[in-house]
C-alpha cells in the first residue's frame, strides 16, 4: 500500500512538475513578456512625466514672459508717465501707481527707471534709488521692448524691459516688470503631485494590461517546456522529410547541415555528404555561386542534371550577422514550357493594352506611326518600320486599288541601336517584286512571317545591296503586316529581329495583326483630322486679311496662330475710315473647325459692311448684334431648326471695335464680351483700360446697350488687341496671362513687329489649345501744320472768304494743282450747310495721303445725289462733288453731321474745262 501510494504521489508529483514548469515565472515565455512590457511601460511613463514637468515649466516661463511684457508696455505707454519722469520727484508720482498695477496684474514687481537704470519705483522700497543690474542698452539706446531671464540681485526673474518714449520720440526712461523664478518653480511644483498621481495610475493600468496579455499568451502557448519543444522538433523533422519540396540548410561556413529526402533525390546527394562544403556536393556552378554568395533569391531557375529547379534562398539569421541559409527547391521541368508560353501570352496582352494607351495620343499621322514603332521595340521586335501611302500623309483618302506595287513613304523607324542598315525615314519604299514578303502580305491582306530572311529570294532581289547590308548586320527574321482601315490599305508595318535569336513564328502573326489593326484605326483618324484641319486652315486663311490696307494713322503688325487641335473663329482687321481715321477689330467665335471659320467670315464681312456707315463703335456693335440675332433666328426655322441653330448659329461670338483719329489722338473703343486692349504709353507704362464689357453677340441687348469708351493716346503709344487664347492656357489663368503680357509689352522702344514677336515668345505654349489673334498698332498724330479749320457764319457771303482761305492754305501745302477742285467742292458743301444746315458750321482740311475736305453742321438732314433736269436752276452741286472727288460721304455724330470728300493728291493737276463747270461764285447759288 505504501509503495503504491508512494508511486501514486510520485506520478502526481511528476505531472505537477510539468504543470509548474509551464507556468514557472520568468522562465516561461509569458513571464518574460510580462516583465518586458512592465519595464517598457515604466520607462515610457517616466519619460512622459519628465517631459511634461519641463514642458509645464517652459509654458509657465513663457506665460510669465508674455504677461510681464504686456504689463510693462501698458504701464510705459500709460498717459502721464513721460511727464512724471520729467517731474522733480518721479517716485512720489509713480510709486503708488506702480504698486496698484502690480497687485492688479499679478506680477512680482514693476520698476520705473531713469535712462541710467536707477530705480524710481520698486515693490521693495529699499531698492528705490539703486541702479538695477544688467544691460539696458537695447531699451535705452535702440528703443526696443524685450523680455529676458534675469539672474542677479535681488532675485532671479523673468523680466520685461520697455522704453518710455516722450512725444518727441526720445527715450526718457524704462519700465521693467516680471515674475520671480522662485514663484514660477512653486507653480510648477504645485502641479507635481498631480503628475505623479497620473503617472502612478498609468503605470497601474500598463502593468494590469501586461498581466492580461501575459495571461492570454500563457493560454495560447499552453506553457510549453523543454519536453514539449523536443517533441515539436521530432514532429518538425518528420514533416521536413515528408514534404515534396527539397530543403537544404547550409551553415555560415557554407557547409551542408541538413538535406531532406526530396533534396537528396533532386540533387543526387547521399547521407555521408552532410558537413561537406557546398562546392563538394556536385551541384551546378550557378547553384554553388548562389549558396556561397549569401544573397536571397526567389524562384530562380537552376539546372540539376536534366531537371529545371525553381530555387528560393533565405538567410537563417537577420541581416547584418554572419548567417547560414535555407534553400528550397521544386521540380519545374514539366511546367517550364507551359509557363514560358503563358508568360509570353501575358506579355503580349500587356503590350496590346499599352498599345491602346500609347498609340493615337495625338491626331498627327506621323506621330501616330512613330508611336506604333516605339511600342513594338524592344518587347516584340528589335527594329520596326512603318511605311504609309503618300495620300495618307497628306490627309487624303487612300486609293482603293490594289497596293501591291504602290510606292510608300517610310514614316517611322525605331530600333535597339542607332546604327541600323534600314532605309531612313523619308525614303520611298517600293515593292516591285511580287514575291517579297511585303508585296505578298499586301496582296493577301494579312500578316506574313519570314522566319529566315536569308532564304527570301524576292526580298533580296528587290534591293540586293540593302538586303546584303541587313543580313551582314544580323537581321535574320521579318514579320510584315498591312495597315488596314475600313478595308482600305493605309500602309504597312515591318518588324525585324537581329539580336533576338528566336525567329518570328505563326504565334506572332495574330498579335502583329491585332497591333496593326489598332494602329491603323488611329492613323486613319489622324488622316481624317489632317484633311479637315487642312480644309479649315485653307478656308480661314482665305477669310482672314492677307495684306493690311495702306493708311497713315497707325503702324500695324499682327500675328494669327491656329490652335494645335484645329483652326477656330478668331479674326482681326484694319479698316481705313474717312478723315484719315482707322478702325481696329478683333473677334472670337467659340468653337473650332469649319463651322467656326465660316462663322468668322460672315461676321468679318458684316463688320466691313457696317464700317462703311461710319458710325461709332457702340452703334456698329449694336448693328452687328442685331444681324447676328436675325441669322440665329433664321437658322431655327423649320422642323430641325433648333438643332441646326445650336450647330450653326453664331451665338458665342465676341468682338472688340476701336476707331483711332490721328488728327486728335482720340481712340473710341467698344466691346461685345471681348477682353479689352492693352495700352503701352511711350514711356513703357502698360495699362489695361477699363471698358464696359457688353454681352457677346447674338444674346440680345435688352436694356443694356453697348457702351463706348474714349481714350486719348499720345503719339507713339501702342494699342494691343488680342483674343483670349493668348492669355489662357493649360495651367495658366487669365490673371497670370495678363501679368506675362504686361512684362512682354514693357519695352517702348520695340517696333510693332518686334512687340508681336516678344509677346508670342513670352506667352505662347508649344501646343496652344485655342486660336490666337494679336494686333499691335503704334499711333501717329497728323502734323498740326497739315490741319486747317474755320468757323463759318450762317451767311452766304461767308462762303467766299473761307474758299479763299482754303486756297491760300493749299498753296502753302504745295497743292496748287488741287486748288480749283478743292474750292469747287468746298463751295458746294459750305453753301449747302449754310442754306439747309444748322449752327455751328465748321470747315476742316486734312492733308494726309489725300486731301480731305470736311464740312460739319448741327443738322442731321442727309443730302441726296440727284440729276438735275436741263431746265432746273439748281440741284447739280452734289453731283459735281461726286464727279470731282475720289470718294465722298456723310458721317453722323452725336449732334449734327459731317460731309466729307477726298481728293487725290497729285491727281488733280488738270483743271476741268470751262464748259463743264460754271464760275465758282455762281456755284454758291445752286441748290442740291
Amino acid at each position: 500500500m505504501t509503495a503504491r501510494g508512494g508511486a501514486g504521489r510520485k506520478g502526481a508529483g511528476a505531472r505537477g512538475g510539468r504543470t509548474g514548469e509551464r507556468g514557472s515565472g520568468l522562465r516561461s515565455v509569458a513571464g518574460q513578456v510580462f516583465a518586458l512590457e512592465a519595464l517598457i511601460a515604466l520607462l515610457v511613463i517616466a519619460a512622459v512625466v519628465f517631459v511634461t514637468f519641463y514642458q509645464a515649466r517652459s509654458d509657465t516661463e513663457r506665460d510669465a514672459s508674455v504677461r510681464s511684457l504686456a504689463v510693462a508696455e501698458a504701464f510705459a505707454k500709460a498717459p502721464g508717465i513721460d511727464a512724471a519722469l520729467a517731474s522733480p520727484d518721479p517716485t512720489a508720482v509713480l510709486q503708488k501707481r506702480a504698486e496698484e498695477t502690480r497687485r492688479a496684474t499679478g506680477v512680482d514687481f514693476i520698476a520705473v527707471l531713469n535712462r541710467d537704470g536707477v530705480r524710481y519705483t520698486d515693490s521693495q522700497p529699499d531698492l528705490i534709488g539703486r541702479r538695477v543690474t544688467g544691460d539696458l542698452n537695447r531699451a535705452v539706446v535702440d528703443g526696443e521692448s524685450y523680455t529676458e531671464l534675469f539672474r542677479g540681485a535681488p532675485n532671479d526673474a523673468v523680466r520685461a524691459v520697455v522704453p518710455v518714449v516722450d512725444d518727441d520720440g526720445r527715450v526718457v526712461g524704462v519700465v521693467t516688470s516680471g515674475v520671480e523664478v522662485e514663484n514660477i518653480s512653486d507653480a510648477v511644483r504645485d502641479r507635481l503631485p498631480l503628475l505623479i498621481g497620473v503617472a502612478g495610475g498609468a503605470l497601474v493600468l500598463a502593468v494590469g494590461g501586461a498581466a492580461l496579455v501575459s495571461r492570454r499568451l500563457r493560454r495560447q502557448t499552453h506553457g510549453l517546456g523543454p519536453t514539449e519543444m523536443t517533441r515539436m522538433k521530432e514532429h518538425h523533422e518528420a514533416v521536413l522529410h515528408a514534404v515534396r519540396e527539397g530543403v537544404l540548410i547550409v551553415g555560415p561556413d557554407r557547409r551542408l547541415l541538413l538535406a531532406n529526402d526530396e533534396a537528396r533525390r533532386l540533387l543526387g546527394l547521399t547521407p555521408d555528404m552532410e558537413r561537406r562544403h557546398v562546392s563538394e556536393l556536385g551541384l551546378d556552378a550557378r547553384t554553388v555561386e548562389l549558396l556561397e554568395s549569401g544573397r536571397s533569391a526567389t524562384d530562380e531557375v537552376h539546372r540539376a542534371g536534366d531537371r529545371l529547379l525553381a530555387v528560393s534562398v533565405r538567410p537563417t539569421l537577420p541581416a547584418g550577422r554572419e548567417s547560414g541559409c535555407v534553400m528550397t527547391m521544386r521540380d519545374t521541368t514539366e511546367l517550364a514550357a507551359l509557363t514560358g508560353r503563358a508568360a509570353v501570352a501575358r506579355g503580349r496582352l500587356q503590350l496590346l493594352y499599352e498599345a491602346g494607351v500609347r498609340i493615337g495620343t495625338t491626331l498627327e499621322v506621323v506621330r501616330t506611326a512613330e508611336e506604333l514603332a516605339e511600342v513594338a521595340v524592344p518587347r516584340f521586335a528589335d527594329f520596326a518600320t512603318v511605311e504609309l501611302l503618300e495620300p495618307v500623309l497628306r490627309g487624303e483618302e487612300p486609293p482603293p486599288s490594289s497596293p501591291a506595287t504602290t510606292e510608300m513613304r517610310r514614316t517611322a523607324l525605331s530600333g535597339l541601336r542607332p546604327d541600323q542598315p534600314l532605309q531612313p525615314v523619308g525614303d520611298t519604299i517600293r515593292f516591285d517584286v511580287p514575291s517579297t514578303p511585303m508585296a505578298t502580305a499586301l496582296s493577301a491582306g494579312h500578316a506574313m512571317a519570314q522566319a529566315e530572311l536569308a532564304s527570301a529570294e524576292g526580298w533580296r532581289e528587290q534591293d540586293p545591296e540593302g538586303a546584303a547590308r541587313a543580313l551582314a548586320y544580323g537581321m535574320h527574321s521579318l514579320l510584315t503586316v498591312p495597315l488596314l482601315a475600313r478595308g482600305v490599305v493605309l500602309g504597312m508595318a515591318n518588324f525585324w529581329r537581329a539580336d533576338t535569336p528566336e525567329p518570328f513564328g505563326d504565334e506572332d502573326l495574330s498579335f502583329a495583326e491585332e497591333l496593326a489593326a489598332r494602329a491603323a484605326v488611329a492613323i486613319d483618324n489622324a488622316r481624317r483630322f489632317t484633311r479637315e484641319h487642312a480644309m479649315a486652315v485653307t478656308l480661314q486663311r482665305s477669310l482672314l486679311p492677307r495684306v493690311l490696307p495702306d493708311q497713315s494713322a497707325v503702324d500695324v503688325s499682327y500675328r494669327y496662330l491656329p490652335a494645335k487641335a484645329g483652326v477656330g473663329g478668331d479674326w482681326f482687321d484694319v479698316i481705313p475710315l474717312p478723315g484719315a481715321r482707322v478702325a481696329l477689330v478683333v473677334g472670337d467665335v467659340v468653337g473650332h473647325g469649319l463651322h467656326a471659320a465660316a462663322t468668322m467670315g460672315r461676321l468679318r464681312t458684316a463688320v466691313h459692311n457696317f464700317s462703311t456707315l461710319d458710325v461709332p463703335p457702340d452703334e456698329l456693335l449694336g448693328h452687328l448684334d442685331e444681324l447676328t440675332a436675325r441669322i440665329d433666328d433664321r437658322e431655327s426655322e423649320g422642323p430641325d431648326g433648333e438643332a441646326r441653330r445650336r450647330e450653326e448659329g453664331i451665338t458665342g461670338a465676341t468682338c472688340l471695335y476701336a476707331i483711332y483719329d490721328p488728327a486728335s489722338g482720340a481712340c473710341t473703343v467698344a466691346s461685345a464680351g471681348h477682353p479689352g486692349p492693352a495700352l503701352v504709353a511711350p514711356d513703357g507704362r502698360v495699362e489695361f483700360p477699363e471698358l464696359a464689357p457688353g454681352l457677346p453677340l447674338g444674346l440680345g441687348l435688352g436694356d443694356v446697350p453697348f457702351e463706348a469708351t474714349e481714350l486719348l493716346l499720345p503719339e507713339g503709344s501702342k494699342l494691343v488687341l488680342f483674343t483670349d487664347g493668348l492669355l489662357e492656357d493649360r495651367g495658366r489663368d487669365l490673371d497670370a496671362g495678363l501679368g506675362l503680357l504686361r512684362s512682354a509689352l514693357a519695352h517702348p522702344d520695340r517696333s510693332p513687329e518686334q512687340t508681336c514677336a516678344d509677346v508670342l515668345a513670352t506667352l505662347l505654349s508649344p501646343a496652344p489649345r485655342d486660336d490666337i489673334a494679336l494686333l499691335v498698332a503704334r499711333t501717329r498724330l497728323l502734323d498740326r501744320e497739315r490741319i486747317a479749320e474755320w468757323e463759318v457764319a450762317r451767311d452766304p457771303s461767308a462762303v467766299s472768304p473761307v474758299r479763299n482761305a482754303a486756297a491760300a492754305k493749299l498753296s502753302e501745302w504745295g497743292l496748287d494743282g488741287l486748288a480749283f477742285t478743292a474750292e469747287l467742292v468746298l463751295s458746294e458743301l459750305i453753301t449747302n450747310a449754310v442754306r439747309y444746315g444748322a449752327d455751328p458750321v465748321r470747315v476742316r482740311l486734312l492733308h494726309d495721303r489725300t486731301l480731305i475736305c470736311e464740312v460739319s453742321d448741327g443738322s442731321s438732314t442727309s443730302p441726296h445725289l440727284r440729276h438735275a433736269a436741263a431746265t432746273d436752276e439748281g440741284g447739280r452741286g452734289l453731283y459735281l462733288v461726286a464727279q470731282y472727288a475720289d470718294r465722298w460721304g456723310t458721317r453722323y455724330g452725336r449732334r449734327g453731321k459731317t460731309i466729307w470728300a477726298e481728293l487725290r493728291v497729285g491727281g488733280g493737276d488738270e483743271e476741268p474745262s470751262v464748259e463743264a463747270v460754271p464760275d465758282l461764285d455762281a456755284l454758291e447759288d445752286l441748290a442740291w
Side-chain angles (χ1 to χ4, degrees):
M1 293 293 294
T2 302
R4 293 176 61 186
R9 285 194 299 274
K10 182 177 181 181
R15 290 191 296 272
R18 288 194 294 271
T19 303
E21 186 177 64
R22 290 178 185 169
S24 57
L26 293 178
R27 295 183 60 187
S28 67
V29 175
Q32 293 177 5
V33 169
F34 170 79
L36 182 61
E37 288 188 350
L39 178 61
I40 292 174
L42 179 61
L43 293 176
V44 170
I45 291 171
V48 170
V49 170
F50 179 78
V51 171
T52 304
F53 178 82
Y54 278 94
Q55 182 64 41
R57 183 181 181 88
S58 175
D59 292 343
T60 304
E61 288 182 357
R62 183 167 58 254
D63 177 72
S65 176
V66 172
R67 184 152 48 97
S68 300
L69 181 61
V71 171
E73 286 189 338
F75 196 89
K77 296 177 181 179
I81 295 299
D82 52 345
L85 288 172
S87 67
D89 189 2
T91 300
V93 178
L94 297 175
Q95 174 66 16
K96 182 178 179 181
R97 291 177 61 181
E99 283 302 295
E100 290 176 352
T101 304
R102 180 183 65 79
R103 287 191 293 269
T105 57
V107 296
D108 289 337
F109 64 89
I110 296 178
V112 182
L113 320 174
N114 63 10
R115 289 177 54 90
D116 296 327
V118 177
R119 297 180 177 88
Y120 286 144
T121 71
D122 197 280
S123 58
Q124 299 181 26
D126 57 333
L127 295 178
I128 296 175
R130 297 185 184 180
R131 191 180 187 281
V132 299
T133 57
D135 186 7
L136 302 178
N137 284 338
R138 290 174 59 187
V140 174
V141 177
D142 301 334
E144 179 184 351
S145 301
Y146 62 93
T147 60
E148 63 180 359
L149 180 59
F150 171 77
R151 297 192 181 277
N155 294 301
D156 296 346
V158 174
R159 182 174 71 177
V161 181
V162 178
V164 179
V165 182
D166 62 8
D167 295 338
D168 297 330
R170 294 175 301 174
V171 176
V172 298
V174 178
V175 175
T176 66
S177 69
V179 179
E180 296 180 355
V181 173
E182 182 179 356
N183 292 337
I184 294 175
S185 300
D186 291 342
V188 174
R189 280 194 295 270
D190 291 341
R191 303 183 188 181
L192 194 57
L194 177 61
L195 286 176
I196 294 175
V198 172
L203 182 61
V204 171
L205 291 176
V207 171
L212 292 175
V213 171
S214 176
R215 182 177 179 182
R216 182 174 181 84
L217 182 61
R218 185 179 294 110
R219 280 201 307 267
Q220 291 179 344
T221 59
H222 304 290
L224 292 177
T227 303
E228 286 77 7
M229 296 299 294
T230 301
R231 188 174 301 151
M232 287 182 60
K233 182 178 183 300
E234 293 172 353
H235 294 168
H236 173 264
E237 296 219 359
V239 173
L240 180 66
H241 291 287
V243 296
R244 300 301 297 172
E245 188 172 83
V247 178
L248 284 184
I249 301 179
V250 179
D253 57 357
R254 301 301 179 256
R255 293 184 179 274
L256 179 63
L257 299 180
L258 174 67
N260 70 346
D261 294 341
E262 183 65 10
R264 293 191 182 100
R265 185 184 71 82
L266 294 176
L267 300 177
L269 303 178
T270 59
D272 60 348
M273 288 186 174
E274 291 188 1
R275 303 304 305 170
R276 290 189 183 183
H277 197 275
V278 293
S279 61
E280 302 173 2
L281 301 180
L283 304 178
D284 181 73
R286 289 183 63 240
T287 307
V288 173
E289 186 275 330
L290 175 61
L291 291 173
E292 289 182 338
S293 66
R295 64 181 176 86
S296 300
T298 301
D299 289 339
E300 287 190 6
V301 178
H302 291 253
R303 287 190 175 276
D306 57 351
R307 292 187 177 92
L308 292 177
L309 304 180
V311 174
S312 299
V313 178
R314 294 291 184 273
T316 56
L317 293 177
R321 300 171 57 185
E322 187 178 3
S323 171
C325 61
V326 177
M327 183 174 75
T328 60
M329 65 202 79
R330 61 184 184 276
D331 191 357
T332 62
T333 304
E334 297 178 357
L335 298 177
L338 180 60
T339 303
R341 289 193 294 271
V344 171
R346 284 197 303 272
R348 297 287 170 79
L349 288 175
Q350 180 66 24
L351 186 56
L352 283 176
Y353 170 75
E354 293 181 10
V357 175
R358 294 174 56 186
I359 297 176
T361 57
T362 66
L363 288 173
E364 297 180 3
V365 174
V366 173
R367 181 57 193 154
T368 305
E370 292 172 349
E371 289 169 344
L372 169 59
E374 291 168 0
V375 165
V377 177
R379 294 166 62 180
F380 179 65
D382 299 331
F383 295 89
T385 63
V386 179
E387 290 78 50
L388 297 178
L389 296 172
E390 289 286 357
V392 174
L393 289 172
R394 296 193 298 267
E396 300 172 3
E397 196 72 27
S401 58
S402 173
T405 58
T406 302
E407 293 182 355
M408 296 186 184
R409 181 76 60 187
R410 177 148 291 170
T411 310
L413 189 155
S414 180
L416 294 176
R417 299 189 301 275
D419 59 331
Q420 41 79 26
L422 303 173
Q423 290 178 253
V425 172
D427 274 15
T428 300
I429 309 298
R430 297 179 176 84
F431 310 111
D432 299 329
V433 180
S435 58
T436 61
M438 295 82 164
T440 304
L442 288 171
S443 299
H446 56 75
M448 299 289 294
Q450 183 67 45
E452 293 293 336
L453 271 176
S455 61
E457 297 296 335
W459 175 69
R460 300 176 68 176
E461 180 184 350
Q462 175 71 39
D463 183 8
E465 294 182 2
R469 287 196 303 270
L471 292 174
Y473 185 82
M475 299 285 188
H476 62 84
S477 187
L478 166 68
L479 193 155
T480 180
V481 55
L483 299 174
L484 300 170
R486 299 173 288 108
V488 179
V489 174
L490 306 177
M492 65 183 314
N494 296 307
F495 306 103
W496 312 75
R497 281 184 178 172
D499 295 354
T500 303
E502 293 82 8
F504 288 110
D506 294 338
E507 66 277 5
D508 297 314
L509 295 177
S510 59
F511 170 78
E513 289 183 339
E514 179 65 23
L515 182 63
R518 298 190 181 197
V521 172
I523 291 173
D524 191 49
N525 290 338
R527 176 197 63 78
R528 287 189 285 181
F529 173 79
T530 300
R531 180 187 61 188
E532 294 181 3
H533 181 71
M535 294 171 60
V537 168
T538 302
L539 173 63
Q540 189 173 46
R541 287 179 176 173
S542 68
L543 296 175
L544 287 172
R546 298 186 179 183
V547 178
L548 295 183
D550 292 333
Q551 44 79 36
S552 303
V554 291
D555 292 329
V556 181
S557 289
Y558 66 91
R559 292 290 189 277
Y560 173 78
L561 295 175
K564 190 69 174 179
V567 297
D570 292 12
W571 89 91
F572 64 92
D573 240 321
V574 178
I575 306 173
L577 297 177
R581 297 168 303 140
V582 65
L584 305 174
V585 191
V586 290
D588 185 3
V589 176
V590 175
H592 296 88
L594 290 172
H595 170 63
T599 301
M600 176 272 292
R602 298 163 79 180
L603 289 179
R604 179 171 177 254
T605 302
V607 170
H608 266 273
N609 291 336
F610 288 135
S611 68
T612 60
L613 300 176
D614 202 1
V615 294
D618 52 337
E619 293 185 24
L620 184 141
L621 291 180
H623 291 311
L624 189 62
D625 178 74
E626 183 180 359
L627 173 66
T628 303
R630 287 205 306 270
I631 293 176
D632 283 345
D633 290 340
R634 286 198 297 270
E635 297 291 349
S636 63
E637 295 177 359
D640 58 343
E642 284 301 323
R644 187 166 61 252
R645 175 178 178 174
R646 288 192 299 269
E647 182 178 347
E648 300 179 2
I650 307 180
T651 301
T654 64
C655 183
L656 183 73
Y657 191 87
I659 296 178
Y660 174 69
D661 185 355
S664 63
C667 181
T668 307
V669 188
S671 171
H674 198 87
L679 179 59
V680 185
D683 60 0
R685 181 167 38 88
V686 180
E687 297 179 357
F688 296 96
E690 291 289 338
L691 303 182
L695 296 175
L697 300 174
L699 298 183
L701 289 176
D703 296 329
V704 186
F706 295 108
E707 296 182 21
T709 302
E710 185 164 326
L711 309 172
L712 189 60
L713 307 183
E715 186 173 14
S717 301
K718 291 178 189 170
L719 194 64
V720 182
L721 285 67
F722 51 86
T723 56
D724 57 4
L726 179 69
L727 303 180
E728 297 178 345
D729 198 11
R730 186 179 290 106
R732 184 178 70 207
D733 58 14
L734 181 62
D735 292 337
L738 287 174
L740 291 175
L741 179 60
R742 184 187 298 274
S743 64
L745 293 176
H747 302 285
D749 56 331
R750 303 293 179 91
S751 67
E753 181 67 23
Q754 292 171 330
T755 301
C756 286
D758 291 344
V759 169
L760 292 186
T762 302
L763 284 92
L764 184 62
S765 64
R769 293 186 301 172
D770 197 3
D771 289 19
I772 295 174
L774 173 64
L775 196 64
V776 178
R778 183 167 58 190
T779 61
R780 298 171 179 167
L781 284 179
L782 196 60
D783 189 353
R784 297 303 302 178
E785 297 298 325
R786 288 174 168 253
I787 303 175
E789 297 180 277
W790 297 275
E791 292 279 348
V792 182
R794 293 285 307 285
D795 185 350
S797 63
V799 177
S800 181
V802 174
R803 188 181 64 206
N804 295 333
K809 179 59 69 174
L810 293 178
S811 178
E812 179 184 334
W813 288 343
L815 302 178
D816 295 315
L818 283 178
F820 181 83
T821 305
E823 288 182 63
L824 185 150
V825 170
L826 286 175
S827 293
E828 294 305 319
L829 298 181
I830 298 173
T831 300
N832 182 73
V834 168
R835 290 186 173 182
Y836 307 111
D839 286 328
V841 178
R842 294 186 178 91
V843 177
R844 186 171 72 163
L845 294 181
L846 301 176
H847 182 195
D848 191 40
R849 293 173 180 264
T850 61
L851 178 64
I852 304 168
C853 305
E854 295 181 346
V855 177
S856 305
D857 69 86
S859 170
S860 298
T861 305
S862 175
H864 298 283
L865 178 65
R866 65 186 181 91
H867 294 277
T871 58
D872 290 345
E873 295 183 0
R876 298 178 178 83
L878 197 57
Y879 176 76
L880 291 175
V881 171
Q883 290 295 313
Y884 283 97
D886 282 356
R887 294 194 308 157
W888 73 279
T890 304
R891 179 170 70 249
Y892 294 92
R894 301 297 181 188
R895 292 184 56 190
K897 66 179 179 298
T898 299
I899 303 177
W900 55 270
E902 291 186 3
L903 305 180
R904 183 180 305 169
V905 175
D909 295 337
E910 296 182 1
E911 295 186 359
S913 62
V914 177
E915 293 80 11
V917 180
D919 182 59
L920 292 179
D921 293 326
L923 287 176
E924 298 175 8
D925 298 327
L926 298 179
W928 289 4

